[in-house]
Amino acid sequence: MIEAIKSYFWDPETERRETFLRGVPLFERLGRRDLARLASIMTECAYSEGETVFREGDVGRALALVCSGRIEISRSLAGGKSVTLRLVEPGGYIGEMALLDEAPRSATAVAVEASRVYLLHKARLSGLMLSRPAMGMQIIGEFGKLLAKRFREAETKALLAAETPR
Amino acid sequence: MSLSRLLAYCFPLGSAALAAALLWAARPVLMPFLLALAFAYLADPAVRSFQSLGLRRAPSVGLVHLILIAAVVAGASFAVKRLRAETARIESGTSAPWEELDSSDAGQLENAARLSPVAEKFDDLLAAAEPWVLEANEWTLGVDMEGWRSKAAAGAASGLGVGVSEFGALLIRALSWLLLIPFASYFILLAGPGALDSLLRLASGRHIEKTLHVLWSLDESVGRYCRGILLESLGIGLLTYAGLRALGVDFALWLSLLSGAANVIPVAGPAAAAAAALLVSFGGVLQPGAGTVLGLFAALRAVDHWALKPALMHGAGELHPLAVLFSVCCGAALGGPAGLLLAVPAACVLRVFLVSGWEWTRDELGLKAPPGDLRAERALV
């Protein structure tokens, strides 16, 4: 009886989304209430096999969190060919830089199998962060760490490339 | 152009035209559903906040309705009590001095003589506003008020009471709205996420993100404006009531209700509320001076400009004041009272569609985008 009442009022989807978000490095330090708020502004989208999530050159305005399926990230080369950069598995995310600058996408994302993706739009996240500054600071902090890590990696690669004899 | 491509363009356009024609044909019964839609849209963030606590959509919608109905009932019972008390106080307070006007008090008679042109002007103003009031009633209740009034007058003249049945119909319609609007808004709120999913299914692949961008831009602009202006009006109404009560102005609750409601109409609304308060202070006995009342309304505008608007309407609409003024004038000319109310939200929608349409076209044509949104970046950093 109690279980029936609980299942009428309680939504397991919210908990599922919270658990999913806790697994995303950008949001892993957020509290339960903040995760629930973040979950409430995500939009779930379904892509069938071969469908384009975004194309190189499109203006990016959303972070895509892969919930199920696989997304292939590729980049076009001179001569019309393209090269696959990586495959994004469930729990992974793409287009995080779109949350900072509305710059054109640097690669194309295509669903290689039927996939479900949560889209987190920049305007909605900015609104939430403005209304919850502490939460905003945490997300910005994680973004800072991510950027610093990538900068160090790029610097190391550049140094290695410079030191390697031709 | 191939036949299939032509059909692909014609079918959605034809469907949209048919839907628009059906809506136009159904416009006499459309108003409560439009109000329910507006109510559902405004209440959606509250439902979402309950959902973020882990509740399902249906109980969240039910809870929001219960809270709002309780708030409306509590507010109405308080307002009715206050209005009764206010009317009784005014009747008892004003009867004595006005009865004494016939006595030898030359000063009071002089006052009455001085105020009579003001009263005549006020009557002229009311007469000029009458067609607008009739139009507003027709627009909201869907009733031919002019016809109803003439029937009622004919009934009264012949002593047959012909207008009574019409009045009853009007009353029943108004009461049925009280049931219909919450009922319809309940189901609209329940179906909200499903409607969004259906819309996203219509947009394929990479257009999903762009469609979401247009939808969220609309929500940011129009939703923030509508929710902001309602809260702002509530704040202005409460502040007006406190101020007028403190000054001892008659009809404080009526005037504050007017002030709050008129605040929805930019520029003209606050001016109308201040004018009404001035008229009361001119026409009443033992009322504060016009300068004091004007000072109160000026202070309210300052509080609104410096505190309420920045807190409640940050980023809403983002229309230039000149654009707001122009849209209000256009709205009044095109749609009368309804146009006045809808002018600014309509201008916000138009702005979003123009900006998003241009961005969409620019993306599709592969034109160079300008540097990122600096305001949003500043907000993030």
Side-chain angles (χ1 to χ4, degrees), chain A residues 18-86:
Chain A
E18 276 175 40
T19 313
F20 172 78
L21 281 173
R22 200 169 284 122
V24 178
L26 273 177
F27 310 122
E28 65 188 1
R29 286 173 191 273
L30 295 180
R32 197 175 167 272
R33 289 286 293 131
D34 288 337
L35 284 175
R37 283 195 184 92
L38 203 58
S40 73
I41 60 163
M42 295 192 312
T43 310
E44 191 173 343
C45 303
Y47 294 90
S48 49
E49 189 185 334
E51 211 172 357
T52 308
V53 179
F54 55 76
R55 203 172 61 183
E56 194 177 332
D58 284 351
V59 176
R61 296 183 184 101
L63 162 73
L65 301 152
V66 182
C67 180
S68 68
R70 281 186 306 161
I71 306 285
E72 184 192 76
I73 308 295
S74 62
R75 198 163 183 175
S76 56
L77 299 172
K81 287 183 180 175
S82 68
V83 59
T84 301
L85 299 176
R86 61 191 167 115

Side-chain angles (χ1 to χ4, degrees), chain B residues 205-226:
Chain B
R206 54 187 275 266
H207 294 301
I208 290 177
E209 191 184 338
K210 290 180 181 180
T211 309
L212 274 177
H213 174 63
V214 176
L215 285 176
W216 297 146
S217 301
L218 268 176
D219 187 49
E220 280 289 301
S221 178
V222 185
R224 227 179 244 193
Y225 177 81
C226 293

Side-chain angles (χ1 to χ4, degrees), chain B residues 106-124:
Chain B
Q108 295 252 27
L109 283 169
E110 198 182 309
N111 263 347
R114 184 171 55 80
L115 286 171
S116 65
V118 178
E120 276 170 22
K121 284 242 165 60
F122 188 53
D123 284 346
D124 291 346

Side-chain angles (χ1 to χ4, degrees), chain A residues 60-63 95-103 105 122, chain B residues 209:
Chain A
R61 296 183 184 101
L63 162 73
E96 64 280 10
M97 289 303 123
L99 295 179
L100 294 177
D101 58 355
E102 287 186 14
R105 301 280 194 193
K122 182 188 169 188
Chain B
E209 191 184 338

Side-chain angles (χ1 to χ4, degrees), chain B residues 31-242:
Chain B
M31 188 44 64
F33 292 96
L34 280 177
L35 287 175
L37 189 70
F39 176 77
Y41 178 62
L42 294 172
D44 189 57
V47 174
R48 277 174 186 272
S49 67
F50 276 117
Q51 277 189 284
S52 74
L53 291 172
L55 282 178
R56 281 185 192 274
R57 182 102 182 155
S60 304
V61 172
L63 262 175
V64 166
H65 271 77
L66 278 178
I67 291 168
L68 283 173
I69 287 168
V72 166
V73 169
S77 62
F78 168 77
V80 166
K81 265 185 202 165
R82 287 289 333 158
L83 288 172
R84 272 188 190 156
E86 205 167 70
T87 312
R89 187 174 62 82
I90 289 162
E91 277 171 4
S92 61
T94 53
S95 56
W98 286 108
E99 275 164 10
E100 286 164 13
L101 280 179
D102 289 332
S103 67
S104 59
D105 194 337
Q108 295 252 27
L109 283 169
E110 198 182 309
N111 263 347
R114 184 171 55 80
L115 286 171
S116 65
V118 178
E120 276 170 22
K121 284 242 165 60
F122 188 53
D123 284 346
D124 291 346
L125 203 70
L126 286 179
E130 200 179 357
W132 277 50
V133 175
L134 288 176
E135 199 184 323
N137 282 336
E138 272 182 50
W139 182 72
T140 49
L141 293 173
V143 171
D144 176 13
M145 293 302 291
E146 195 60 52
W148 176 72
R149 207 172 53 162
S150 58
K151 273 184 193 174
S158 62
L160 293 171
V162 178
V164 173
S165 62
E166 287 279 337
F167 178 74
L170 190 71
L171 195 68
I172 287 168
R173 190 180 295 218
L175 285 174
S176 69
W177 276 29
L178 287 177
L179 289 173
L180 189 60
I181 291 172
F183 197 69
S185 69
Y186 179 83
F187 286 104
I188 292 170
L189 271 171
L190 273 187
L196 178 67
D197 288 345
S198 306
L199 194 67
L200 290 180
R201 270 198 292 274
L202 285 176
S204 64
R206 54 187 275 266
H207 294 301
I208 290 177
E209 191 184 338
K210 290 180 181 180
T211 309
L212 274 177
H213 174 63
V214 176
L215 285 176
W216 297 146
S217 301
L218 268 176
D219 187 49
E220 280 289 301
S221 178
V222 185
R224 227 179 244 193
Y225 177 81
C226 293
R227 289 176 196 118
I229 200 99
L230 280 182
L231 288 174
E232 187 195 358
S233 297
L234 185 69
I236 286 288
L238 289 172
L239 287 173
T240 311
Y241 181 65

